[in-house]
Amino acid sequence: MTTDTDVAVIGSGFSAAALAINLVNRLAPTARVSLVGRKAKWGRGIAYSTRADCHLLNVTAARMSLFADQPDHFVQWLSQNGYAQAGDEFIPRQVYGRYIGSCLDTALEPSGNRAALHIVDAEVADAEITAEGGFRLMLTDGVTLSAGAAALCTGAGFRRLPIPEDAIAPGARQSIVDDPWQDEWWERLPKDADILLVGTGLTMIDQCLLLKARGFEGRLLAVSRRGLLPQPHLTPRKQPGDPVLSPGTGEVSGMLSRLRASARQEGDWRKVTDGLRPVTQALWTGLSASQRQRFLRHAAPYWNVHRHRMAPSVAAEIAELRNAGRLVVHRGRPASVRAVEGQIEVEIRGRANTTLCVDALVNCSGLERCTIDASPLLANLSKRGLVTADPLGLGIWVDDASACLPASEPKPPLYALGLLTAGRHWEITAVPDIRVQAAAVAAAIAGRIGRARPADEGAVRI
Ligand SMILES: Cc1cc2nc3c(=O)[nH]c(=O)nc-3n(C[C@H](O)[C@H](O)[C@H](O)COP(=O)(O)OP(=O)(O)OC[C@H]3O[C@@H](n4cnc5c(N)ncnc54)[C@H](O)[C@@H]3O)c2cc1C
């Protein structure tokens, strides 16, 4: 069976929802937008599918509106839907998932004055260019979808456990949790279990909070190469300062020195890092390929813990666990795992080699880079020359307007959003960045397929 659509939005997370809703607002009322992704996660993706109230947004509500040009949209939704929280609070992520779901529901309602949105509960396995210059998408349910344009919003999966499979003894495998988001893995452990969390970023923080909320009382051990934890937000948030760096003005090491000096002068580094937000993407674009490599190798881990921070109440809970000795952070690299008398022994290599004896090991390595071989769809598109890897292997290569750069011209009407485009934009992980990209891509697609809503028609926006 083949169905037709004007634009196919591929994915089921925030990026896909934001783009689909922007398209519905921007395209002519006769246009049709299809959102193709697995129903279980529509609009929520990995980030907002959690059902735990202890998992909070790491950005205040006031900055999480779906629309950059309607900054109060989320806060208004909260008050209209009986939530008492204010704009400067860090809301449970599952509530944010409900907000995105409710915006999608509104977009799905038939309206004579907006483009129509359809949801297709399937994945896209492959796509090819048609003679007319559009796409034929092959879905996992056997349906074929013909689209004038398409957008990849397929996000990133989770990083594999950084331990070679042949260094894990067969008897130890059952004590290892590869994907902490997959199921309620903690249910099979006793409440006094000792648990090793591999990774010390926001995924590790989420798992610690969950274990604490579920009444676990055993030791929590966490390990990563540098042992860096996300920094806390402060409340009230200080107004960001003016950017202290400008694009294309020097070496990475010089930029970092300037940042440190400004942070010392200001007395709060948050004001300085937050002040860089409006220019972060331009700073990245202004670096040469070798400067970007150097940044990734030496500075990115430090950048990430300062840029992607913990809500203050989360930071307080983590500090409490650490002060009580219930969470201990190690520096090093887990090298091997073996089974010993009902537990597992994990060999940690680092400055001081050590062995940790625990009941379970949980992979908290965080988000994977969006490499082409990590996604069957991207691998198929790459074979057809429709997408290419970015030179740093962060995702796929796009131009400044987020249009995919193919192996050879002409450029097909194919766009990408979110972390997939980190090679071009770098900071494109969080809602405040992706929502700007979604609005810009919707405008670009509307122009490209010639189906923009006429300017004189009053828009009935969501
Ligand atoms: C645990 C966690 C917490 C976060 N918290 C915050 C926060 O508080 N604030 C913030 O601003 N940002 C946060 N982020 C950042 C987050 O990445 C973004 O906010 C946003 O959710 C990214 O959405 P996405 O749609 O690009 O990717 P994803 O959420 O990964 O969604 C991509 C979806 O596409 C689907 N898909 C993949 N391949 C196909 C295919 N071939 N066909 C159809 N569908 C496919 C996948 O199954 C997946 O559901 C968090 C991220 C994580 C992981």
Side-chain angles (χ1 to χ4, degrees), residues 94 111 140 358 384:
Q94 61 170 328
S111 150
T140 45
V358 290
R384 294 178 187 279

Short mmCIF file of all heavy atoms in Angstrom, two decimals, residues 94 111 140 358 384:
data_model
loop_
_atom_site.label_atom_id
_atom_site.label_comp_id
_atom_site.label_asym_id
_atom_site.label_seq_id
_atom_site.Cartn_x
_atom_site.Cartn_y
_atom_site.Cartn_z
N GLN A 94 8.39 13.84 33.19
CA GLN A 94 7.19 13.20 32.65
C GLN A 94 6.07 14.22 32.44
O GLN A 94 5.23 14.05 31.55
CB GLN A 94 6.74 12.04 33.53
CG GLN A 94 6.36 12.37 34.93
CD GLN A 94 5.70 11.16 35.61
OE1 GLN A 94 5.03 10.37 34.96
NE2 GLN A 94 5.91 11.02 36.90
N SER A 111 -8.66 21.00 11.55
CA SER A 111 -8.94 22.43 11.57
C SER A 111 -8.90 22.89 10.12
O SER A 111 -7.98 22.55 9.40
CB SER A 111 -7.88 23.17 12.39
OG SER A 111 -7.71 24.47 11.89
N THR A 140 8.46 -0.03 8.28
CA THR A 140 8.63 -1.39 8.81
C THR A 140 7.33 -2.20 8.76
O THR A 140 7.35 -3.41 8.87
CB THR A 140 9.13 -1.34 10.27
OG1 THR A 140 8.37 -0.37 10.98
CG2 THR A 140 10.60 -1.00 10.35
N VAL A 358 30.59 -5.89 43.43
CA VAL A 358 29.21 -5.38 43.50
C VAL A 358 28.20 -6.46 43.09
O VAL A 358 28.59 -7.52 42.60
CB VAL A 358 29.02 -4.14 42.58
CG1 VAL A 358 29.76 -2.93 43.10
CG2 VAL A 358 29.45 -4.46 41.15
N ARG A 384 22.75 4.83 -0.39
CA ARG A 384 22.14 5.49 -1.56
C ARG A 384 22.76 6.86 -1.82
O ARG A 384 22.32 7.59 -2.71
CB ARG A 384 20.64 5.66 -1.35
CG ARG A 384 19.88 4.35 -1.27
CD ARG A 384 18.42 4.61 -1.01
NE ARG A 384 17.69 3.38 -0.76
CZ ARG A 384 17.25 2.56 -1.70
NH1 ARG A 384 17.48 2.85 -2.97
NH2 ARG A 384 16.59 1.47 -1.39
#
